[in-house]
């Protein structure tokens, strides 16, 4: 159960790192602007320096995706394929919405957010109540 939720959260965090690294309006682009305005380097040096944090974000994103896939597969073994997939997707949506609000001032519709959160709670509750059948000898 917890591994499926972890995989969804890791997927959302990895997508945020991808957005930081690749989006032209990312806050990481301010490193080049700061370098151009305040440091005495040529434009090529500032451009190269701006790629360092972007490259690090990409590397960490790839590592997070690898961890996400591993925890997703273990979570499906733990929770079952349907519940594991549903929990991972719901966790991904919830964490992505929270990160979007916190990092990019995105707006969310509270009804949709509550629906996803309710679905995650419903799936986790159904899985917690399900008990394995004992075999008669």
């Amino acid at each position: 159960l917890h591994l499926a939720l972890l995989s969804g959260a890791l997927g959302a965090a990895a997508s945020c790192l991808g957005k930081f690294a690749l989006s032209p309006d990312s806050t990481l682009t301010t490193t080049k602007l700061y370098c151009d305005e305040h440091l005495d380097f040529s434009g090529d040096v500032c451009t190269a320096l701006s790629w360092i944090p972007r490259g690090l974000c990409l590397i960490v994103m790839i590592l997070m995706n690898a961890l996400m896939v591993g925890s997703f597969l273990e979570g499906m073994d733990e929770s079952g394929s349907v519940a594991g997939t549903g929990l991972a997707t719901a966790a991904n949506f919830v964490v992505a919405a929270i990160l979007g609000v916190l990092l990019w001032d995105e707006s969310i519709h509270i009804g949709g957010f509550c629906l996803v959160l309710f679905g995650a709670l419903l799936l986790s509750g159904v899985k917690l109540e399900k008990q394995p059948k004992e075999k008669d000898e």
Side-chain angles (χ1 to χ4, degrees), residues 5 86-87 90-91 93-94 110-126:
L5 294 172
L87 287 170
F93 286 171
V94 169
I110 195 69
F113 183 77
C114 289
L115 184 63
V116 170
L117 190 58
F118 175 73
L121 292 173
L122 183 67
L123 281 173
S124 64
V126 167

Side-chain angles (χ1 to χ4, degrees), residues 18-29:
K19 189 171 183 175
F20 274 133
L22 301 174
S23 177
D25 60 346
S26 168
T27 56
L28 293 181
T29 58

Side-chain angles (χ1 to χ4, degrees), residues 36 85 92 98 108 113-114:
D36 287 337
T85 302
N92 185 288
I98 292 169
I108 59 170
F113 183 77
C114 289

Side-chain angles (χ1 to χ4, degrees), residues 50-111:
S50 72
W51 282 101
I52 292 172
R54 288 175 174 227
L56 289 174
C57 281
L58 284 175
I59 290 168
V60 174
M61 179 192 75
I62 291 168
L63 292 173
M64 275 192 157
N65 276 323
L67 288 172
M68 183 261 313
V69 169
S71 64
F72 178 69
L73 293 175
E74 289 180 26
M76 284 195 342
D77 284 341
E78 179 183 76
S79 303
S81 61
V82 174
T85 302
L87 287 170
T89 302
N92 185 288
F93 286 171
V94 169
V95 172
I98 292 169
L99 290 175
V101 168
L102 294 176
L103 299 176
W104 290 283
D105 286 333
E106 293 178 352
S107 63
I108 59 170
H109 298 283
I110 195 69

